[in-house]
């Protein structure tokens, strides 16, 4: 079984890749389509990873494995 990373490893990797990735915005998606598809109190939150400078949502994983 593969052990999960420690907090220290996660923090070290975050520091190492920080020049290449940045925090992307989140957006709460509202509208008739959402209201019709589920409960009235449902909230859909999307993270806009496609706005990474690299144009990909896989930048973090790829950079950590360099």
């Amino acid at each position: 079984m593969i052990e999960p990373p420690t907090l220290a490893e996660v923090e070290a990797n975050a520091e190492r890749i920080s020049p290449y990735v940045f925090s992307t915005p989140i957006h709460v998606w509202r509208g008739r389509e959402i209201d019709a598809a589920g409960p009235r109190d449902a909230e859909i939150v999307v993270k806009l990873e496609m706005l990474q400078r690299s144009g990909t949502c896989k930048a973090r994983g790829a950079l950590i494995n360099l």
Side-chain angles (χ1 to χ4, degrees):
M1 185 166 105
I2 298 173
E3 293 293 321
T6 65
L7 179 57
E9 291 169 329
V10 171
E11 289 172 339
N13 282 330
E15 179 67 28
R16 188 163 59 92
I17 67 172
S18 66
Y20 309 105
V21 296
F22 65 99
S23 293
T24 54
I26 61 169
H27 175 73
V28 178
W29 187 14
R30 296 186 178 100
R32 292 187 315 254
E33 298 87 359
I34 300 301
D35 291 342
R40 287 295 239 192
D41 60 348
E43 183 175 71
I44 305 295
V45 180
V46 294
K47 182 115 168 77
L48 303 176
E49 286 293 297
M50 75 278 202
L51 298 178
Q52 284 294 337
R53 291 181 186 114
S54 65
T56 178
C57 62
K58 302 293 184 184
R60 289 175 181 85
L63 289 167
I64 287 171
N65 289 298
L66 286 179

